[in-house]
Amino acid sequence: MADRMVDPENNMPEGDIDDVLKTVILAVLNEAADKMEEGKDVIPFTGLAVKENLFIETHPGDDAEECFLKARQEVQGARGATAYAFCYDGYIETEDGERDALIAEGGLPGEEQGYAFGYLYDEEGIDREIVYIGLAPNFMEGLALELEMEGTLDRSQYAEEVQEEKGVQE
């Protein structure tokens, strides 16, 4: 599907990756790897974390761009999701040349950037050692405002504001 370039000097993301996002990315990569090992095609799909559940939705299309747009639309319409990952079969450029990879691009509501990770594979099988690929678009970037309005993004800030209001009224 899409191609990526792996920077060998930058093989780890800057800062910590949220545990929920890590879990979602790992889950979709394992889902794709399991399908591939069963001899099935990996149709591009998203995994959306909502509370304790992971919802999987496929995004078939005639080309990479159509799959990408369908996935973006699905994620941007997700309400109550705390993380997502978009997974597809693609390839990446490495020091050793072009390599096939299962790629998962994921993000969190309100974050500016997402992250891409993958599993490399060849005719001998899938290497389930996760590889950091780089920054990726975050389909959930615009969802922060909605979460703030619903009061689910940063409750500590909201609690401080309530305490300040009570102090003024007393």
Side-chain angles (χ1 to χ4, degrees):
M1 187 167 143
D3 65 300
R4 290 288 202 154
M5 179 68 156
V6 175
D7 180 0
E9 302 297 317
N10 184 25
N11 60 359
M12 290 302 295
E14 290 183 23
D16 290 331
I17 305 286
D18 181 87
D19 287 341
V20 173
L21 180 57
K22 285 181 196 175
T23 301
V24 172
I25 286 173
L26 190 58
V28 298
L29 284 172
N30 285 332
E31 175 80 14
D34 291 346
K35 284 183 182 187
M36 187 171 276
E37 289 173 343
E38 293 169 6
K40 298 178 182 174
D41 288 335
V42 176
I43 298 169
F45 67 96
T46 50
L48 288 166
V50 180
K51 296 184 181 179
E52 304 285 319
N53 301 306
L54 182 65
F55 295 95
I56 304 287
E57 182 75 31
T58 59
H59 307 290
D62 293 330
D63 58 30
E65 186 66 21
E66 184 178 351
C67 297
F68 183 86
L69 292 173
K70 285 180 178 181
R72 179 184 287 271
Q73 183 178 10
E74 175 75 20
V75 171
Q76 288 177 337
R79 299 295 172 254
T82 55
Y84 84 95
F86 173 50
C87 190
Y88 55 91
D89 183 5
Y91 60 92
I92 57 176
E93 289 291 330
T94 69
E95 290 179 318
D96 301 324
E98 191 174 281
R99 297 281 313 268
D100 289 322
L102 294 171
I103 301 170
E105 301 179 9
L108 300 166
E111 296 293 319
E112 189 175 317
Q113 288 290 320
Y115 302 93
F117 291 88
Y119 286 160
L120 300 177
Y121 70 90
D122 57 24
E123 56 280 339
E124 295 178 22
I126 300 168
D127 180 356
R128 291 195 185 218
E129 183 177 327
I130 198 161
V131 175
Y132 174 65
I133 298 171
L135 295 176
N138 182 5
F139 297 168
M140 289 186 147
E141 181 178 6
L143 294 181
L145 181 59
E146 293 171 22
L147 290 174
E148 287 172 5
M149 291 168 46
E150 293 171 10
T152 59
L153 187 61
D154 187 356
R155 292 186 183 270
S156 63
Q157 182 180 0
Y158 176 73
E160 290 174 81
E161 291 172 5
V162 169
Q163 288 299 329
E164 288 174 7
E165 286 179 13
K166 284 183 179 179
V168 171
Q169 292 175 354
E170 294 177 351

